[in-house]
Amino acid sequence: MPESIQGTVFVAGDDVNTDEIIPARYCATTDVASLGQFALEDLHPTKSPGGVPFKPGAYEIIVAGENFGCGSSREVAPVALIHAGIKAVIAPSFARIFYRNAVNCGLHLSLNTGLGEGAATGDVLALDPSEERFWEGIAPVHRTIIEAGGLTAFNKSGTPVPQESADPRPMTQGQKILARAAGLDYVEPGMTVFADVDKAITHELVLPVAAKQLEAGYGAGFKIWDKEKLLVTVDHTLQIPLIREDDRSREMAEKVAQFVEDQELPHAFLPLAPFTSQGICHVLFPEEGLLEPDTLLIGTDSHTCTYGAYGVLSVGVGTTDLTEVMASGRIWLKVPESIRIELNGRMAKGVHAKDVILHILHQVTMNGFTDAVVEFTGPALEHLTEDDRSTIANMVVEGGGTCGLFPVGAIRADEGASFQKLLSFDPVSYTHLRAH
């Protein structure tokens, strides 16, 4: 039976992002326990209703506002909170990637805001995870993973997870790709499935930590599930030493190179000279022809949604997800809602794809795509280049989206498929969108 959680409360506001939870300047390390001392160091004063900064070690429970953990996919956000002494977070909603990373790390989450109603920073609160009300709105399998101590412990326990197809129904493009990956005839939004991953992408900020976790969980010399399916680059931090003294980026790149050698990975793009990269992952992998439409791809980057430009259902995940995919080739995913956007017209001279997606995001706002696959359709698509599609898909996450998906492969949405929203835009022909 889960132990009760009692401790001091820290109250946080809406839209606390992962850069505030753990600043990027501390993330180039495999010593994740050291991150606790920096937790919420950059929290904006307006997001601390109590008017006091967060002090690591002084609090056990966070009571937060909407959309807690938005922003980058870094799993070190919940890890930093855990090592700062946080045992539970209560919020009305969590950003998708933070939520799954917290589940995978075994951090207790509750959507029942009544548990923290009226609490102020410095108050003492008692929570009982054995009570059903603590878990209201949390999927049973997610609760089981948290109670097991995280995803690796859950997977190693051998706990069976029965999968049943949803009732026959028309499905969207993204749902059909996910159903195929999960080996099911039908899926529907809200259900959790365990799916086979076709490709995984990663980089030097995450792979060294995942490699360390893989060895700790499965032993030295463990070989990943399929070396052809892991795509690796060094592109995030290697130029940091040019702007400040910091050897950690070089050390992370060296650890990537060692893992690539140990695993004999054929699709790894390592620096050819100091401070140089062979390319940014979201550009490099498509250029190298390493993507196939109608497949499932996971990546340790919030902008993994970019690969939807190539008809790939691509989902940003965290370090533990990568560790477990490298071990088994499988991942748990909550079937997302789908939003359809019809694009009409043709971009006028001086209007670019970036203008288009910025205009759309302005209209739907920063949470307009939350936890949804955005499927693009309409006559404008025939006028968009691969670069245009990539630019649009890349920024879907800025509206909270899971993936920006274009109809590139053979799979299309069924007639009669249900969409959370049906939107139509004609900004591609508007001259007022021209960049200034």
Side-chain angles (χ1 to χ4, degrees), residues 4 29-30 35 63 83 106 145 209 222 224 247 257 267 281 285 294 306 309 316 371 405 424:
S4 62
T29 181
T30 56
L35 298 175
V63 176
H83 288 290
I145 293 170
V209 181
F222 182 88
I224 68 169
D247 288 332
H267 305 304
C281 54
F285 298 143
D294 304 335
T306 306
D371 297 344
L405 192 57
S424 180

Side-chain angles (χ1 to χ4, degrees), residues 341-353:
I341 292 184
E342 181 179 69
L343 293 178
N344 300 293
R346 185 170 184 170
M347 288 186 290
K349 184 178 180 180
V351 176
H352 302 280

Side-chain angles (χ1 to χ4, degrees), residues 307-327:
Y307 305 113
Y310 301 90
V312 179
L313 181 61
S314 46
V315 181
V317 299
T319 309
T320 299
D321 279 314
L322 177 63
T323 300
E324 294 304 306
V325 166
M326 291 195 299

Side-chain angles (χ1 to χ4, degrees), residues 267-284:
H267 305 304
F269 300 87
L270 304 178
L272 300 177
F275 314 122
T276 63
S277 172
Q278 293 200 49
I280 297 170
C281 54
H282 306 313
V283 177
L284 180 62

Side-chain angles (χ1 to χ4, degrees), residues 295-367:
T295 57
L296 174 64
L297 178 150
I298 62 99
T300 57
D301 188 283
S302 55
H303 289 97
T304 298
C305 56
T306 306
Y307 305 113
Y310 301 90
V312 179
L313 181 61
S314 46
V315 181
V317 299
T319 309
T320 299
D321 279 314
L322 177 63
T323 300
E324 294 304 306
V325 166
M326 291 195 299
S328 69
R330 290 174 64 78
I331 192 169
W332 70 264
L333 292 170
K334 181 180 178 183
V335 180
E337 294 282 358
S338 297
I339 294 172
R340 171 172 277 180
I341 292 184
E342 181 179 69
L343 293 178
N344 300 293
R346 185 170 184 170
M347 288 186 290
K349 184 178 180 180
V351 176
H352 302 280
K354 180 72 80 172
D355 303 313
V356 173
I357 187 60
L358 288 174
H359 175 74
I360 292 172
L361 289 168
H362 176 72
Q363 298 299 314
V364 304
T365 74
M366 67 179 292
N367 298 320

Side-chain angles (χ1 to χ4, degrees), residues 193-211:
V193 300
F194 282 77
D196 292 325
V197 171
D198 295 297
K199 289 284 174 64
I201 70 106
T202 190
H203 49 75
E204 79 278 11
L205 262 181
V206 175
L207 182 56
V209 181

Side-chain angles (χ1 to χ4, degrees), residues 7 38 60 76 85-86 94 127 154 159 168 217 245 256 259 270 274 288 340 366 382 404 415 430:
F38 307 117
E60 290 76 31
V76 286
I86 297 300
F94 296 94
L127 305 174
F154 171 81
T159 303
E245 289 188 23
V256 168
F259 185 79
L270 304 178
E288 293 292 327
R340 171 172 277 180
M366 67 179 292
E382 65 177 294
E415 185 175 351
Y430 289 178

